[in-house]
């Protein structure tokens, strides 16, 4: 997999951004020495990249997150360290943006620097099985809202269509047409399709650029 | 394509409400239920419905009163501290015999508390919810699918009995994502001849009101209301029994606690301990009969709760104190672990009900 210096993951909330960010960081670490994951989600106090802090530390991946992420304090703030993402160009970064246009608002603060350096990939995470983005048109609407709020245009699409643990290979295959339609309508490429590692083998030869996700641990 | 979608519990409630015909939502944001409001804000304008972020929880519940008076399906949602604010309105809805759906996605308390899951509003929900003699129908989902199913059912019951149905969920249920079928069982809404829909000069005007200054009349209203409650206790009880056929130990748990309890039960069964679960789905009316019947074979009941022990009182009443009832609990936003429950099961097994 080829990476730009900065990879931004954005999309409808619950589309799977955080999980992809976590998995992508480990992939990135295979290729580059200095890898940083930035949790820019100030909307959702649950399901944070910080949940993977221990695994990141063991792998030598740096995590920048709000001091309050995953705590009981529901405070939307970001640390000043976030500026190192654009100031320090020796690191490769994954940016996990909050859901919808509300989550992407925070990105606007960093958008100019990111665009000036121009070594980024802004990926839209698409899940056709989420009720508010069941088709290309509704997803495109969310894309436009996020671009308006975050001030960075999308450059690619990640198809992460799934219905959780019950997802079958057929469900993923059935979503490909919608993902391609979205790619066509948005005028940007379908960069990859992500699936749970359990069903990865049965799809490996059927879908191009397939990326297996080792799902995050569930509490129950 | 799969016939299911992937939804958060909060979203499932919102979409199910829309499917049930609810076109009016009034709320005020509070974690961990904000997705309900956010979802309604996106969806309602697209289907000709009304989403309104009220200036407060109190304003929202009174807007519910207004729309309910007009005979339309209406809902509001909040989390624990916000539900307390709605208390006055809940009592007025009861006093005016108005149907509505109110969602409480509980968080740890008391006070502002925290934002992690809790079941510590059990007393508040099942014992009235505010001043005066009244009940709400209280439904406790234990999966995202049930968040959807019980929302539709809640509207049906509210209309049928002219009262408030409350979905009593918790932060985990609201936030967790699971596959959901939105092929829901929506019944036609009953006629509402009492609604304030305009007389068209064809009838005397209707009034929805909770003020009644003549004590004899107010008493009569209370008696009539409680006749309806008795009917509900007879007809609308819902519960799930899990591995109860030969159980000598019975766990009582609802919502997220019941899911953890099931894991512990499977483990205990593997160790040869006969344990089962009664999961109340309606918390009011409480499923008294299955608990009383269980006393014939069960030597110990264990109430598993995300509170300091509230439902345990209803378990004791339902079992008429014939068997010991012990408590396994966490509070303040913490969730009991399967190991903690397993430990209590093993203790009960060792003591054989002799404690």
């Amino acid at each position: 997999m080829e990476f730009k210096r900065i990879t931004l993951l954005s999309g409808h909330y619950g589309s799977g951004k955080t999980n992809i960010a976590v998995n992508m960081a480990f992939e990135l670490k295979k290729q580059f020495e200095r890898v940083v994951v930035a949790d820019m989600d100030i909307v959702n106090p649950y399901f944070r990249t910080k949940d993977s802090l221990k695994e990141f530390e063991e792998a030598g991946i740096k995590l920048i997150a709000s001091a309050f992420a995953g705590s009981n304090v529901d405070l939307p703030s970001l640390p000043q360290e976030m500026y190192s993402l654009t100031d320090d160009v020796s690191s490769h970064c994954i940016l996990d943006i909050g859901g919808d246009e509300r989550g992407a608002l925070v990105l606007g603060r960093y958008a100019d620097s990111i665009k000036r350096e121009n070594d980024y990939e802004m990926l839209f995470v698409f899940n056709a099985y989420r009720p508010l983005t069941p088709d290309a048109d509704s997803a495109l609407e969310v894309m436009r809202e996020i671009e308006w709020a975050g001030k960075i245009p999308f450059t690619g699409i990640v198809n992460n269509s799934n219905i959780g643990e019950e997802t079958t290979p057929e469900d993923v295959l059935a979503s490909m047409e919608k993902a391609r339609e979205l790619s066509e309508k948005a005028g940007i490429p379908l960069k990859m399709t992500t699936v749970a590692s359990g069903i990865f083998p049965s799809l490996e030869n059927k879908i191009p650029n397939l990326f297996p996700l080792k799902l995050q641990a569930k509490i129950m | 394509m799969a016939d299911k979608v992937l939804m958060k519990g909060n979203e499932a409630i919102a979409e199910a409400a829309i499917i049930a015909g609810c076109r009016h939502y009034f709320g005020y944001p509070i974690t961990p239920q904000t997705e309900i409001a956010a979802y309604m804000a996106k969806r309602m304008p697209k289907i000709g419905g009304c989403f309104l972020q009220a200036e407060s929880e109190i304003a929202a519940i009174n807007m519910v009163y207004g729309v309910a008076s007009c005979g339309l399906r209406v809902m509001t949602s909040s989390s624990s501290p916000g539900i307390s604010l709605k208390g006055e309105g809940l009592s007025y809805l009861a006093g005016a015999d108005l149907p509505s759906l109110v969602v409480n996605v509980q968080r740890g308390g008391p006070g502002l508390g925290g934002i992690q899951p809790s079941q510590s509003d059990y007393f508040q929900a099942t014992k009235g919810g505010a001043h005066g003699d009244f009940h709400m129908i209280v439904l406790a989902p234990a999966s995202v699918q049930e968040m959807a199913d019980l929302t539709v059912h809640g509207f049906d019951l509210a209309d049928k009995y002219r009262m408030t149905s409350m979905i009593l969920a918790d932060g985990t249920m609201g936030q967790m994502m699971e596959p959901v079928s939105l092929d829901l069982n929506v019944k036609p809404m009953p006629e509402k001849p009492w609604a304030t829909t305009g007389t068209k000069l064809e009838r005397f005007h209707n009034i929805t009101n909770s003020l009644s200054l003549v004590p004899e009349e107010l008493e009569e209203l209370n008696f009539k209301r409680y006749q309806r409650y008795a009917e509900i206790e007879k007809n609308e009880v819902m519960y799930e029994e899990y591995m109860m056929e030969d159980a000598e130990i019975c766990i009582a748990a609802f919502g997220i606690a019941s899911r953890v309890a099931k894991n512990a039960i499977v483990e205990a069964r593997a160790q040869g301990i006969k344990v089962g679960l009664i999961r109340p789905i309606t918390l009011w009316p409480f499923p008294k009969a299955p608990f009383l019947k269980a006393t014939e074979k069960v030597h110990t009941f264990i109430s598993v709760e995300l509170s300091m022990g509230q439902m345990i009182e209803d378990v004791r009443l339902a079992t008429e104190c014939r068997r010991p009832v012990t408590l396994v609990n966490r509070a303040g936003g913490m969730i009991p672990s399967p190991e903690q429950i397993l430990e209590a099961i093993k203790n009960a097994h060792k003591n054989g009900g002799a404690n």
Side-chain angles (χ1 to χ4, degrees):
Chain A
M1 196 183 298
E2 277 183 36
F3 287 101
K4 301 279 191 182
R5 197 184 73 73
I6 294 179
T7 305
L8 304 102
L9 291 162
S10 187
H12 182 50
Y13 81 87
S15 57
K17 297 175 295 292
T18 299
N19 206 16
I20 294 171
V22 169
N23 283 274
M24 216 179 241
F26 288 100
E27 188 65 23
L28 197 59
K29 183 64 187 170
K30 290 181 193 163
Q31 300 181 32
F32 301 98
E33 181 53 35
R34 299 186 55 176
V35 172
V36 178
V37 174
D39 181 350
M40 285 199 173
D41 189 347
I42 57 162
V43 179
N44 183 356
Y46 310 96
F47 308 119
R48 307 290 293 249
T49 42
K50 209 171 182 177
D51 297 338
S52 308
L53 184 59
K54 196 164 156 274
E55 288 85 350
F56 282 155
E57 279 174 350
E58 282 166 9
I61 296 169
K62 187 177 169 185
L63 174 68
I64 303 177
S66 163
F68 306 108
S71 77
N72 253 9
V73 184
D74 194 1
L75 194 65
S77 73
L78 290 175
Q80 61 185 19
E81 214 183 354
M82 279 293 173
Y83 289 107
S84 70
L85 297 171
T86 49
D87 291 348
D88 173 11
V89 295
S90 66
S91 297
H92 276 72
C93 311
I94 307 272
L95 274 57
D96 179 18
I97 318 293
D100 293 345
E101 77 279 11
R102 289 181 301 281
L105 264 181
V106 67
L107 188 57
R109 184 68 193 85
Y110 311 92
D112 282 346
S113 307
I114 292 170
K115 283 192 280 194
R116 199 179 306 128
E117 184 195 353
N118 200 23
D119 191 4
Y120 69 91
E121 192 89 77
M122 171 82 167
L123 297 174
F124 180 80
V125 180
F126 173 59
N127 182 355
Y129 296 104
R130 293 284 288 139
L132 292 185
T133 55
D135 51 38
D137 288 328
S138 55
L140 194 63
E141 196 180 316
V142 175
M143 279 179 88
R144 295 303 175 232
E145 287 168 359
I146 291 172
E147 287 175 334
W148 173 84
K151 298 187 169 69
I152 298 184
F154 283 103
T155 60
I157 291 160
V158 176
N159 180 21
N160 185 46
S161 295
N162 74 89
I163 49 167
E165 287 176 355
E166 289 181 19
T167 315
T168 63
E170 289 70 36
D171 295 334
V172 181
L173 286 169
S175 74
M176 291 305 291
E177 196 186 316
K178 291 181 179 182
R180 287 194 198 100
E181 189 190 341
L182 176 61
S183 158
E184 211 166 279
K185 286 188 167 167
I188 51 174
L190 177 59
K191 289 276 179 182
M192 67 168 90
T193 297
T194 45
V195 294
S197 49
I199 59 171
F200 179 79
S202 54
L203 290 166
E204 208 176 351
N205 301 317
K206 293 176 184 161
I207 298 173
N209 303 320
L210 196 66
F211 182 71
L213 297 175
K214 185 176 151 273
L215 298 175
Q216 280 178 287
K218 273 177 69 177
I219 313 170
M220 62 207 61
Chain B
M1 297 284 284
D3 54 4
K4 289 183 177 179
V5 288
L6 184 64
M7 293 185 104
K8 272 195 175 195
N10 285 336
E11 295 173 328
I13 284 178
E15 186 59 42
I18 289 169
I19 291 170
C22 172
R23 291 294 178 275
H24 294 81
Y25 171 91
F26 309 105
Y28 188 83
I30 179 171
T31 307
Q33 67 76 51
T34 301
E35 291 85 1
I36 300 177
Y39 195 94
M40 288 302 197
K42 291 234 170 196
R43 284 279 278 134
M44 281 300 194
K46 290 183 180 169
I47 53 173
C50 170
F51 163 85
L52 197 146
Q53 179 172 326
E55 63 266 38
S56 73
E57 286 85 349
I58 299 168
I61 193 73
N62 284 298
M63 291 172 188
V64 168
Y65 185 106
V67 173
S69 295
C70 299
L72 299 170
R73 287 194 161 168
V74 56
M75 76 181 281
T76 184
S77 62
S78 192
S79 179
S80 309
I83 295 295
S84 294
L85 280 168
K86 291 182 196 295
E88 182 192 58
L90 292 174
S91 180
Y92 282 35
L93 284 163
D97 295 311
L98 291 172
S100 73
L101 187 87
V102 176
V103 180
N104 181 1
V105 184
Q106 300 164 92
R107 56 190 245 179
L112 269 178
I115 60 167
Q116 300 297 335
S118 168
Q119 298 180 329
S120 54
D121 302 346
Y122 180 92
F123 281 155
Q124 186 191 43
T126 60
K127 309 299 174 193
H131 66 280
D133 282 313
F134 79 97
H135 274 295
M136 298 181 287
I137 293 167
V138 183
L139 303 162
S143 67
V144 177
Q145 184 66 56
E146 277 192 356
M147 291 285 250
D149 295 344
L150 293 178
T151 295
V152 172
H153 190 54
F155 274 112
D156 284 339
L157 292 178
D159 281 339
K160 187 173 172 189
Y161 295 102
R162 288 184 63 179
M163 61 192 288
T164 293
S165 291
M166 174 175 276
I167 304 289
L168 192 70
D170 65 76
T172 323
M173 298 307 315
Q175 295 298 321
M176 69 196 304
M177 291 180 83
E178 285 181 335
V180 180
S181 164
L182 290 172
D183 186 12
L184 303 172
N185 177 25
V186 181
K187 296 185 186 117
M189 194 169 80
E191 291 287 315
K192 297 179 179 178
W194 47 264
T196 54
T197 51
T199 65
K200 300 178 189 75
L201 301 177
E202 287 166 5
R203 60 165 167 80
F204 196 70
H205 66 270
N206 289 333
I207 297 173
T208 58
N209 180 27
S210 73
L211 181 69
S212 182
L213 291 174
V214 182
E216 288 81 1
E217 287 173 14
L218 184 53
E219 181 189 47
E220 181 61 22
L221 284 172
N222 273 286
F223 280 135
K224 275 190 177 158
R225 198 167 293 125
Y226 268 68
Q227 280 168 12
R228 247 184 307 144
Y229 291 165
E231 226 179 289
I232 294 167
E233 292 202 78
K234 208 170 82 189
N235 299 328
E236 306 299 347
V237 170
M238 292 170 76
Y239 61 95
E240 177 199 2
E241 287 194 352
Y242 178 72
M243 296 195 179
M244 279 302 294
E245 301 76 23
D246 60 345
E248 293 166 356
I249 298 166
C250 171
I251 291 182
F254 66 95
I256 194 65
S258 69
R259 294 173 66 128
V260 186
K262 280 184 181 177
N263 290 336
I265 288 168
V266 169
E267 181 55 37
R269 286 266 171 186
Q271 296 181 23
I273 304 175
K274 289 176 180 169
V275 54
L277 167 80
I278 299 177
R279 172 173 76 91
I281 297 172
T282 49
L283 299 179
W284 193 89
F286 192 76
K288 294 175 189 167
F291 278 105
L292 187 61
K293 185 163 186 300
T295 58
E296 292 166 13
K297 287 179 188 168
V298 166
H299 62 66
T300 308
F301 290 81
I302 304 171
S303 190
V304 180
E305 303 181 51
L306 279 68
S307 73
M308 293 309 294
Q310 301 191 9
M311 182 178 69
I312 190 171
E313 296 193 1
D314 281 334
V315 178
R316 285 195 176 120
L317 286 170
T319 55
E320 296 174 355
C321 297
R322 292 180 192 183
R323 300 282 181 268
V325 188
T326 62
L327 178 68
V328 173
N329 70 317
R330 295 296 300 270
M334 302 301 290
I335 301 173
S337 67
E339 295 74 27
Q340 190 187 352
I341 300 168
L342 185 61
E343 198 55 39
I345 294 171
K346 283 184 188 169
N347 279 338
H349 182 60
K350 203 168 66 188
N351 296 335
N355 48 335

